[in-house]
Amino acid sequence: MRVKEDRRRSAARRRIVAAVGAIAIAAGLAAIPATASNALNPPGQSLRAQYHLTPPDHWLSDPQRPVWANGKYNLYYLYSNPNNSPGGWRHATTTDNVVFQDQGVAIPLGGGGNFPVWTGSGVVDTNNTAGFGAGAIVVLATQPPGGDRYQQSQYLWYSTDGGTTFTAYGAPVIANPDGNDWFRDPKIVWDSAHNDWVAVIGRQQQLWFYTSPDLKNWTYRSQFAYTSPNIGGFECPDIYQITADDGSSHWVLAGSMQGDYSGQPDTYAYWTGTWDGTSFTTDARDPQWLDYGSDWYAAVSWPDHANPDTSRYALGWMNNWNYAPNAVPTDSSDGYNGQMSIVRKLTLAKEGSAYSLISQPVPALDDLVTRTVHPADVTVNGTTDLGYHGSAYELDADVSWQQLNNVGISVGQSADKSRHTNIGVYNGNVYVDRSASSQASYDFGAAFQHAQAPIDPAATNVHLRIFVDRSSVEVFVNNGERVLSDNVFFLPSDTGISLYTDGGSATFSNLAIKEFADTATAAAPATPFATFESSGYGTWSTTGTAFGSGPAAGTLPNQQTVSGFIGNRLVNSYNGGDASTGNLTSSTFTIDKPFVNFLSGGGDHPAPSTVFADFEGSTFGSGWTATGDFAGQGPSADSLPGQVGSKVLDTYVGGGDGAMGTITSPAFTITRGYIDLLVAGGNHPWGSAGATAVNLLVDGAVHDTATGANSSTMTPVSWDVHDLIGHTAQIQVTDQTTTGWGHLMVDQILFSDVPAAIAGEPDDQTTVNLIVGGNVVRTTTGQNSEHLAWSSWNVTDLSGQSAQIQIIDHNTGSWGHIDADQFSLADTPAG
């Protein structure tokens, strides 16, 4: 339960903010102040988080601790309409703590006395201690009788249908003892050592403990107080027992705090200690913090059903009461306000003489990975663009240095570099600086633009796992010893990533970017036109032996365990092992939806590259046009270092360095993830006077560009165009200079699925392809995994056309097979 307060910021907090606020400026990254941005979110464009839990509409706030019932976790959260108004509990279920199914309102506003239902917690009463039946779900929640917040008390609700609907028990089971407006958020846990239920209730700078044999009759036992330094009142307390990595058992006591009073986080503070059935004794006076960002509040934890003694899950409401009541972009774009963090897995580790909670992203997130990109290791001294664009991904990086002032990664970067959110290391802290992502209409306020978490000040390396979604960033540091969670006001066009240093160089290695499927689509997939649940393939045809006579009933002999498929069968080309080959082709269908969604797995073997232009003929190629001095010309015979074949496109022809003009390809549709080419010649980049550049034109504008290096050596260039698949494009070579090195050479333009492809690769593909007019217009391969993940093709440009799906296994080596399932035409993408 929250009551908004007008709180003054502490001097300590202001000093921290001032120090961190200087970080981006020192690196030359904060191009404009947040208040100067006039950026607007385009109307009609969804900004809904792609892999975080959001409400279907209206307002989401405090999560309520999930309970395990009927084979799934049952999560509840505060829900209201309009925003931040009296409401009830909405219900969502999950089996993997990633994909949540909305189950509607479970405890409505107006029930149990016609007043709001605020935060509390539920338990499964396995032994029927309350008398509502074995396995009933019993909830204690704060409610204000008559709507009077000064009389908030703890009321009981119970469910006998697995948590779908609840019945109010009646009068409060724990009444307000003193008419104070801070008596809230009961958290219940079973104490097996003393055969009692324990409830901990938040007070102003205190926690009160009650015990009960039956969840109805409660006895006050003791209190725990923390007043100096002032970290505010206790909200959404937590209490549980957990076994550490050394086998010892510990109790954990926690609460969401207003740490900004004293320069601390506004998140989840916790103490380890002991519970003797009456009172809690802490191991240390001061708390530890489970998150150092600005937006991990009202957090809850719950036991891992598979390993309840040694691990727990946790998530928080990604908001902060210093600005939570404000409107946000999703209010207008999608009609909702609020999201949860990703679920994290908690373990307790001994570190020296103390015990600390370690946070890691829930492993099941990897099940939703649709594509993984591995940028090359790079040493940076200044700023380097990573050449990737995305809005919903995980970025992993190992960063190492010897001596510098500041190092980090900018995510959500706009094309002009003015907008970005920085994650980096400065002065013994990992920080998140979101100031340059603010908008004129949406701003967190100067005191909350930055967050930082302490690490070893002598460290010269750090491992970062950065989770970016359309309106948030969550950073896991090293082995999960520190986490920072923050909302960010990204624009849809804020998709770039760059690496930066100040005062020295750093190496960024083991880079990996994992893109995630849309959990909303995964939770409610479209009706598939191919489920492969029969013993045969029906109208689909096969060649070779790899696909057998029909779909596989899961894992085949000698194969690693196959998972992630839906139902009992799937396409699996491991028939006869990796050595078998063949094709599986669907009957013809009409593309009448904007997306084709499906599950795929197996070997990572893309289709061979396609040669778009090799310049081996007497002309530049069919449909190519030339202007200026290049009109009527053609490729040049040459023998440049790195050249492929006997000829190249060379603007030196027809006048040497003095020749000027353009050479432009015919229009084509981008169907592969990369455009690879070879480039040499003058270093006169596009955008400068007298450019010698080769450009990718999309909708008439330059999207990617390359120039030479004042060298005749042909150098590979790769353009990542995954986000442009389905768009119409052209390649244009321009030469507008007559000075030294005033020419450009281009060769071997390829369409491929890997950077720096080489023409003529063997066809050892394991792929799923979309065929229109006899041509492959979309293609996907596996990721060397037997877990099937969602894939999605945007086929808006192909609407109304006849198509086929073809699944190909041409590989006889390791991971030489492909898995697929659940093809559907849909209105929304799977990823």
Side-chain angles (χ1 to χ4, degrees), residues 526-600:
T527 301
F529 64 79
T531 62
F532 305 106
E533 288 302 293
S534 301
S535 58
Y537 287 117
T539 60
W540 291 56
S541 61
T542 63
T543 63
T545 61
F547 295 95
S549 60
T555 307
L556 292 170
N558 301 316
Q559 186 178 22
Q560 297 178 30
T561 301
V562 178
S563 61
F565 61 97
I566 296 175
N568 299 311
R569 293 176 180 268
L570 76 155
V571 173
N572 186 343
S573 73
Y574 197 75
N575 287 277
D578 277 333
S580 60
T581 61
N583 297 347
L584 175 64
T585 307
S586 77
S587 56
T588 300
F589 60 92
T590 300
I591 297 175
D592 59 2
K593 297 282 187 180
F595 296 94
V596 176
N597 296 332
F598 57 96
L599 290 163
S600 62

Side-chain angles (χ1 to χ4, degrees), residues 50-256:
Q50 187 161 309
Y51 60 95
H52 288 75
L53 173 61
T54 58
D57 50 29
H58 306 311
W59 168 269
L60 167 154
S61 58
D62 299 12
Q64 312 300 312
R65 182 185 61 197
V67 294
W68 178 266
N70 298 326
K72 62 191 71 173
Y73 296 104
N74 293 261
L75 169 73
Y76 304 88
Y77 58 85
L78 299 192
Y79 172 79
S80 68
N81 177 28
N83 287 354
N84 191 26
S85 62
W89 285 21
R90 197 171 184 105
H91 181 199
T93 57
T94 181
T95 57
D96 63 0
N97 290 308
V98 176
V99 178
F100 288 85
Q101 303 273 355
D102 178 61
Q103 304 296 345
V105 174
I107 303 179
L109 168 68
N114 198 31
F115 39 83
V117 184
W118 288 330
T119 294
S121 64
V123 293
V124 178
D125 189 10
T126 305
N127 297 321
N128 192 26
T129 63
F132 302 122
I137 297 177
V138 180
V139 161
L140 257 62
T142 301
Q143 294 184 261
D148 180 359
R149 78 181 201 186
Y150 287 94
Q151 293 299 323
Q152 56 193 252
S153 297
Q154 318 315 321
Y155 286 75
L156 187 149
W157 295 71
Y158 65 93
S159 172
T160 58
D161 62 4
T164 301
T165 61
F166 285 83
T167 300
Y169 178 65
V173 294
I174 306 178
N176 194 310
D178 51 14
N180 189 290
D181 74 335
W182 203 300
F183 186 66
R184 59 184 71 160
D185 312 340
K187 192 63 57 68
I188 322 165
V189 66
W190 177 251
D191 176 8
S192 58
H194 301 95
N195 204 36
D196 256 335
W197 293 104
V198 177
V200 56
I201 299 176
R203 301 300 306 262
Q204 178 64 272
Q205 298 187 303
Q206 295 178 340
L207 290 172
W208 283 19
F209 297 97
Y210 291 77
T211 63
S212 170
D214 58 8
L215 295 166
K216 298 174 181 176
N217 299 286
W218 293 88
T219 301
Y220 169 79
R221 294 299 184 187
S222 64
Q223 62 183 253
F224 167 80
Y226 189 85
T227 60
S228 180
N230 180 11
I231 56 174
F234 283 85
E235 296 197 285
C236 305
D238 203 2
I239 186 170
Y240 52 88
Q241 195 170 11
I242 187 170
T243 301
D245 57 359
D246 63 356
S248 59
S249 182
H250 303 261
W251 282 81
V252 175
L253 179 66
S256 283

Side-chain angles (χ1 to χ4, degrees), residues 467-528:
F467 289 81
V468 176
D469 209 338
R470 291 173 175 167
S471 54
S472 63
V473 166
E474 292 160 271
V475 182
F476 290 76
V477 183
N478 294 332
N479 68 344
E481 64 197 32
R482 298 287 187 269
V483 188
L484 301 93
S485 301
D486 288 277
N487 285 332
V488 183
F489 292 134
F490 291 128
L491 290 172
S493 56
D494 294 343
T495 59
I497 302 174
S498 65
L499 316 174
Y500 62 86
T501 67
D502 177 46
S505 63
T507 299
F508 295 78
S509 58
N510 300 317
L511 291 158
I513 302 171
K514 299 178 182 178
E515 298 175 351
F516 293 114
D518 192 321
T519 54
T521 304
T527 301

Side-chain angles (χ1 to χ4, degrees), residues 145-461:
D148 180 359
R149 78 181 201 186
Y150 287 94
Q151 293 299 323
Q152 56 193 252
S153 297
Q154 318 315 321
Y155 286 75
L156 187 149
W157 295 71
Y158 65 93
S159 172
T160 58
D161 62 4
T164 301
T165 61
F166 285 83
T167 300
Y169 178 65
V173 294
I174 306 178
N176 194 310
D178 51 14
N180 189 290
D181 74 335
W182 203 300
F183 186 66
R184 59 184 71 160
D185 312 340
K187 192 63 57 68
I188 322 165
V189 66
W190 177 251
D191 176 8
S192 58
H194 301 95
N195 204 36
D196 256 335
W197 293 104
V198 177
V200 56
I201 299 176
R203 301 300 306 262
Q204 178 64 272
Q205 298 187 303
Q206 295 178 340
L207 290 172
W208 283 19
F209 297 97
Y210 291 77
T211 63
S212 170
D214 58 8
L215 295 166
K216 298 174 181 176
N217 299 286
W218 293 88
T219 301
Y220 169 79
R221 294 299 184 187
S222 64
Q223 62 183 253
F224 167 80
Y226 189 85
T227 60
S228 180
N230 180 11
I231 56 174
F234 283 85
E235 296 197 285
C236 305
D238 203 2
I239 186 170
Y240 52 88
Q241 195 170 11
I242 187 170
T243 301
D245 57 359
D246 63 356
S248 59
S249 182
H250 303 261
W251 282 81
V252 175
L253 179 66
S256 283
M257 315 301 297
Q258 301 82 57
D260 58 287
Y261 279 124
S262 303
Q264 298 295 323
D266 283 356
T267 63
Y268 183 105
Y270 71 93
W271 293 259
T272 60
T274 57
W275 169 256
D276 63 8
T278 300
S279 60
F280 191 95
T281 303
T282 64
D283 294 333
R285 178 187 178 278
D286 295 324
Q288 302 181 68
W289 297 87
L290 202 51
D291 199 288
Y292 287 81
S294 295
D295 298 303
W296 206 71
Y297 201 75
V300 293
S301 71
W302 62 100
D304 175 358
H305 177 70
N307 302 285
D309 295 331
T310 58
S311 65
R312 296 178 71 83
Y313 297 111
L315 89 166
W317 176 40
M318 293 201 72
N319 223 326
N320 185 308
W321 276 110
N322 289 283
Y323 42 75
N326 300 341
V328 295
T330 55
D331 279 314
S332 57
S333 67
D334 297 271
Y336 80 90
N337 186 314
Q339 72 173 51
M340 300 302 179
S341 69
I342 60 172
V343 176
R344 59 180 72 171
K345 193 169 187 176
L346 303 182
T347 54
L348 189 66
K350 186 174 184 181
E351 298 180 341
S353 60
Y355 290 85
S356 300
L357 290 171
I358 301 299
S359 297
Q360 294 286 1
V362 62
L365 269 170
D366 281 344
D367 295 343
L368 260 72
V369 173
T370 60
R371 182 171 78 110
T372 302
V373 179
H374 293 282
D377 294 356
V378 59
T379 298
V380 176
N381 191 339
T383 304
T384 298
D385 194 292
L386 201 57
Y388 172 86
H389 293 272
S391 60
Y393 56 86
E394 172 192 349
L395 168 60
D396 276 26
D398 286 311
V399 188
S400 59
W401 62 92
Q402 291 300 316
Q403 185 174 0
L404 45 65
N405 299 327
N406 182 26
V407 58
I409 301 173
S410 282
V411 300
Q413 186 167 266
S414 61
D416 65 1
K417 308 297 192 290
S418 65
R419 293 180 51 78
H420 48 78
T421 288
N422 296 335
I423 299 103
V425 180
Y426 173 78
N427 198 28
N429 292 280
V430 174
Y431 63 86
V432 175
D433 175 8
R434 57 188 177 178
S435 57
S437 291
S438 287
Q439 303 179 40
S441 301
Y442 305 106
D443 189 89
F444 298 108
F448 291 94
Q449 295 289 10
H450 321 93
Q452 62 180 12
I455 60 171
D456 180 0
T460 57
N461 61 82

Side-chain angles (χ1 to χ4, degrees), residues 818-829:
I818 185 77
D819 307 320
D821 197 13
Q822 300 290 309
F823 287 87
S824 66
L825 291 161
D827 292 317
T828 56

